[in-house]
Amino acid sequence: MDDVIERLKARLGPAGWTQDPELLAPKLVEWRERWSGHTPLMVVPRDTKEVAEVVAMCAQSGVAITPQGGNTGLVGGQIPQGEILLSTGRLNRVREVDPVDDTMVVEAGVTLAAAHEAALAAGRRFPLSLASEGSATVGGLVSTNAGGTAVLRYGPMRSLVLGLEAVLPDGRIWHGLKRLRKDNTGYDLKQLLIGGEGTLGVVTAATLELFAPFASRAVAIAGVASPAAALELLTLAKERTGEIEAFELMCALGLRLVLAHLPGSRDPLSTPTPWYVLVELAGGRPGGAEADMESLLETAFEKELILDAAVAQSEAQSAAFWALREGQSAAQKQEGPAWKHDVSVPVSRVPEFLETADLRLADAFPGVRIDAFGHVGDGNIHFDVLAPERGDAAAHAERRNEGARLVHDLVASLGGSISAEHGLGVMKTAEARRYKDATEVAALEAIRRALDPLRIMNPRVLF
Ligand SMILES: Cc1cc2nc3c(=O)[nH]c(=O)nc-3n(C[C@H](O)[C@H](O)[C@H](O)COP(=O)(O)OP(=O)(O)OC[C@H]3O[C@@H](n4cnc5c(N)ncnc54)[C@H](O)[C@@H]3O)c2cc1C
């Protein structure tokens, strides 16, 4: 290891590495402080060629690497435990935006917010949207197959990446930055790297698909009595308009926590309701989204699907509504440790999941508080379990695995997934073996062995 470290330092020069504890500290702890780690060296290559040289040097000596982008991952896969930490911080160029092909080529270390800006500057839009967009990078989004609030309309990263450039575990560069919607030439290597969580190589750049900007947009928050009512509203919205940009669910506790902990937030509805839905409609017809929203809410009131609703009257108000949804995790963090479950079930089974999980948890862990929110239009619920009010937070944290087993067994029985969008990382890899088909796991292990026989890429993550 010492020999490789000295060679890496010599090759990259002073701007390309650090061992300074102060600079390393924020890279070695996860956002919610659930995982912390250590590394003998962080390398910060400036281009794809340097990434390839780093990986080749490590591969020749069997030294393991953990890639890291914005360190916003929620399953611990980016935190090294003694591996070389490879930061994509200097792979930060937008190489090209092409409004005719509707594509952009961006390097792995470009943040999602910067990618949004670059697309907008060229009169286009990259639709993936999530609360960590100021820090999450394109490399991390690709490697975790990130989802977010616009999956209902555009799909996750798997649907939005047209091409990739990556360094494979032996140090070879794969030049796959295609910009094709159609390329039916056998196995698709990029789809293995998407969601690969850094185990099959280092993503260095991606071709992303762009869309035309909207001519109209309407955002509303509606109060509903139950998740079943929320789904009926979703069905109605689908029938009325093909332009649902987002359809998000929040429970009353989640909204209360945001109002309590995030300064400046206020409830847009006059009376509390058990559940809330944030709906965004957006389209290319001037005034179309606003008119569709009005008609949708009118019909929903008539059918008694919603108890109350408020439509944002300005961009600032739309942003304030979205802040209530996007502030859910940050507000909840102030309440102490929660058992986090990022799960999905078929959309139609969301109400059954929420009701049954609620009952089973109340029975097994009396007094726990459930904070459920998320992308209900995709069947993806962030089902978080907080300690009882004034309960012992440390004792609650210790029972996390018992709670997860109960929730995951229920999810599996409903035909769902124990990781809807955050990936497996180090948090859920063992748990995933319990639920995934054994034949599938064996095939995935064989693919990994073929590409990384020394298992140097993110060795503690995935199968
Ligand atoms: C407040 C908040 C809200 C969030 N909301 C959502 C959401 O709605 N939907 C969602 O899907 N996720 C969400 N996330 C999770 C997170 O933002 C995503 O997983 C994001 O894709 C991670 O990007 P990153 O650059 O921070 O990656 P990191 O955290 O640095 O890394 C994540 C994983 O990718 C690997 N990796 C990183 N870069 C590369 C690369 N260039 N090549 C190979 N492997 C690499 C790492 O080794 C690690 O396994 C949220 C996180 C936070 C903190």
Side-chain angles (χ1 to χ4, degrees):
M1 174 73 107
D2 288 349
D3 172 50
V4 176
I5 289 174
E6 289 317 311
R7 283 193 291 130
L8 286 170
K9 287 180 179 176
R11 169 62 192 87
L12 296 171
W17 61 271
T18 187
Q19 290 175 310
D20 179 341
E22 268 184 43
L23 295 177
L24 287 176
K27 311 278 184 187
L28 299 176
V29 60
E30 182 251 7
W31 185 71
R32 291 172 314 206
E33 296 170 17
R34 180 150 180 218
W35 291 278
S36 57
H38 58 101
T39 182
L41 178 75
M42 179 169 86
V43 293
V44 196
R46 74 176 164 196
D47 56 25
T48 303
K49 187 164 168 280
E50 282 195 355
V51 175
E53 283 169 337
V54 166
V55 175
M57 273 188 215
C58 290
Q60 280 151 19
S61 309
V63 168
I65 299 169
T66 291
Q68 189 184 90
N71 190 15
T72 67
L74 296 175
V75 287
Q78 72 280 14
I79 304 296
Q81 299 295 340
E83 302 90 34
I84 301 281
L85 181 60
L86 190 156
S87 165
T88 56
R90 285 207 293 165
L91 302 177
N92 55 8
R93 284 159 289 254
V94 174
R95 291 190 192 163
E96 188 187 5
V97 185
D98 188 326
V100 177
D101 282 338
D102 277 329
T103 55
M104 71 194 294
V105 177
V106 282
E107 293 186 348
V110 171
T111 64
L112 178 56
H116 283 160
E117 273 173 34
L120 281 177
R124 290 293 179 271
R125 194 168 54 83
F126 181 59
L128 193 103
S129 171
L130 35 81
S132 54
E133 66 184 36
S135 306
T137 62
V138 167
L141 298 164
V142 168
S143 302
T144 60
N145 179 30
T149 57
V151 170
L152 185 60
R153 193 162 183 179
Y154 307 95
M157 282 301 273
R158 260 189 217 298
S159 312
L160 294 166
V161 174
L162 299 179
L164 283 183
E165 176 189 270
V167 173
L168 299 184
D170 59 3
R172 278 177 301 164
I173 300 173
W174 172 46
H175 298 280
L177 284 174
K178 291 194 173 168
R179 50 175 79 184
L180 305 174
R181 269 80 180 172
K182 291 185 136 183
D183 177 20
N184 198 6
T185 50
Y187 303 126
D188 190 344
L189 181 56
K190 76 173 179 304
Q191 291 298 353
L192 282 176
L193 282 146
I194 300 171
E197 301 190 34
T199 62
L200 298 182
V202 181
V203 172
T204 52
T207 312
L208 305 178
E209 182 168 12
L210 301 180
F211 295 80
F214 296 127
S216 69
R217 177 171 175 254
V219 177
I221 287 195
V224 292
S226 64
L231 277 197
E232 282 188 61
L233 180 64
L234 174 64
T235 307
L236 186 66
K238 283 180 185 165
E239 286 162 6
R240 289 299 169 101
T241 167
E243 302 189 329
I244 310 170
E245 186 71 7
F247 197 94
E248 300 280 309
L249 185 72
M250 297 175 277
C251 68
L253 173 64
L255 186 71
R256 269 210 316 278
L257 295 182
V258 172
L259 298 174
H261 294 299
L262 299 190
S265 50
R266 52 174 286 273
D267 189 343
L269 305 187
S270 46
T271 43
T273 60
W275 293 88
Y276 298 85
V277 173
L278 185 153
V279 190
E280 176 166 331
L281 304 181
R285 199 164 34 96
E290 293 86 341
D292 283 355
M293 184 68 87
E294 203 181 309
S295 131
L296 172 67
L297 294 178
E298 227 174 76
T299 314
F301 267 123
E302 279 163 19
K303 290 177 174 273
E304 297 182 357
L305 292 182
I306 58 180
L307 306 169
D308 195 0
V311 181
Q313 298 300 321
S314 63
E315 276 299 314
Q317 218 171 31
S318 297
F321 285 12
W322 266 110
L324 298 174
R325 164 62 188 88
E326 296 202 318
Q328 296 279 312
S329 299
Q332 190 201 79
K333 196 176 164 190
Q334 316 281 324
E335 289 281 304
W339 307 337
K340 300 267 190 184
H341 309 100
D342 160 42
V343 298
S344 64
V345 293
V347 176
S348 61
R349 305 197 80 172
V350 167
E352 184 183 352
F353 164 69
L354 286 168
E355 274 160 38
T356 314
D358 210 351
L359 288 175
R360 289 189 189 172
L361 281 161
D363 197 34
F365 310 98
V368 290
R369 292 170 297 155
I370 290 168
D371 182 8
F373 62 95
H375 320 296
V376 66
D378 314 323
N380 175 191
I381 300 295
H382 299 306
F383 188 81
D384 299 344
V385 185
L386 295 153
E389 205 130 35
R390 287 181 289 282
D392 179 344
H396 179 69
E398 269 175 28
R399 301 193 72 187
R400 188 190 307 272
N401 291 345
E402 278 176 73
R405 182 53 51 84
L406 185 155
V407 173
H408 291 164
D409 279 354
L410 173 61
V411 163
S413 75
L414 295 172
S417 167
I418 66 161
S419 180
E421 62 176 5
H422 295 160
L424 298 178
V426 292
M427 181 182 177
K428 290 186 180 171
T429 290
E431 190 77 345
R433 282 185 185 277
R434 185 179 157 86
Y435 300 102
K436 245 177 146 60
D437 180 277
T439 306
E440 184 184 358
V441 172
L444 297 173
E445 285 173 333
I447 291 170
R448 182 169 188 174
R449 269 197 309 276
L451 285 175
D452 185 11
L454 300 173
R455 206 178 169 97
I456 65 155
M457 292 303 310
N458 234 358
R460 292 162 304 103
V461 168
L462 296 190
F463 307 108

